[in-house]
Amino acid sequence: MKKYAILNLLLFTLLVTDFQLVAQQIEMPQASPSAKIAQKVGLTDVTVSYSRPSKKGRKIFGELVPYGAIWRTGANGATVLSFSTDVKIQGKDVPKGQYALYSIPDKKSWTIILSKNTKLWGAIGYNPEEDLIRFEVSPTKTKKSMRLSKSVLLI
């Protein structure tokens, strides 16, 4: 009888351990999922690696992302742009390579920044001395919000 109790305990332990290993392999979706977009533009391969921020019913610009403050232009780590050849953006030379995309949102205009430092998590440690270029754009509102699914509203 004691042998069966020990055998049952051993079998139960193996089943629980196996279940825990399987459960650890399941990767749940992130609230702000990462994505990569690649497109050939002329002779240049352009890649954008980013995470889409989840709005979750919040007011983003002017509250969660303050006007006049540096923003990583996405969620999680900084958005990274890659160019396979030299390009021009707003008439400014951008050598081939990778750049972090930052912005400074305001109500009537945004400052867009390409930084040479692509290793930061978000804007923590951002240094304007590492900027390659800055330029101004005028924001426009879209008529629709972007949705990842019916339950997650994105900006």
Side-chain angles (χ1 to χ4, degrees), residues 135-154:
F135 55 93
E136 300 291 317
V137 296
S138 297
T140 58
K141 265 192 171 180
T142 60
K143 293 182 180 181
K144 292 198 252 178
S145 292
M146 301 298 292
R147 290 184 185 271
L148 179 63
S149 70
K150 291 182 180 180
S151 61
V152 181
L153 184 63
L154 302 172

Side-chain angles (χ1 to χ4, degrees), residues 1-2 7 9 16 18-19 24-25 28-29 34 36 49 57 66 69-70 84 86-87 95 97 123-124 127 138:
M1 193 68 133
K2 191 173 185 180
L7 186 58
L9 180 61
V16 169
D18 188 46
F19 177 74
Q24 289 175 358
Q25 293 173 357
M28 299 302 290
S34 60
K36 184 181 274 192
S49 301
I70 191 81
S84 65
D86 296 351
V87 297
I124 298 169
N127 182 350
S138 297

Side-chain angles (χ1 to χ4, degrees), residues 21 29 82 84:
L21 290 175
S82 301
S84 65

Side-chain angles (χ1 to χ4, degrees), residues 4-16:
Y4 290 117
I6 291 173
L7 186 58
N8 283 338
L9 180 61
L10 181 61
L11 184 60
F12 177 75
T13 303
L14 287 173
L15 286 173
V16 169

Side-chain angles (χ1 to χ4, degrees), residues 46-58:
V46 179
T47 303
V48 181
S49 301
Y50 67 102
S51 292
R52 266 177 96 167
S54 295
K55 188 173 179 184
K56 298 181 190 174
R58 303 173 289 186

Side-chain angles (χ1 to χ4, degrees), residues 67-99:
Y67 288 128
I70 191 81
W71 179 47
R72 61 185 161 213
T73 318
N76 305 328
T79 294
V80 176
L81 301 176
S82 301
F83 305 103
S84 65
T85 65
D86 296 351
V87 297
K88 280 192 183 278
I89 298 178
Q90 294 285 58
K92 299 177 182 182
D93 292 328
V94 177
K96 72 178 181 179
Q98 293 188 328
Y99 303 95

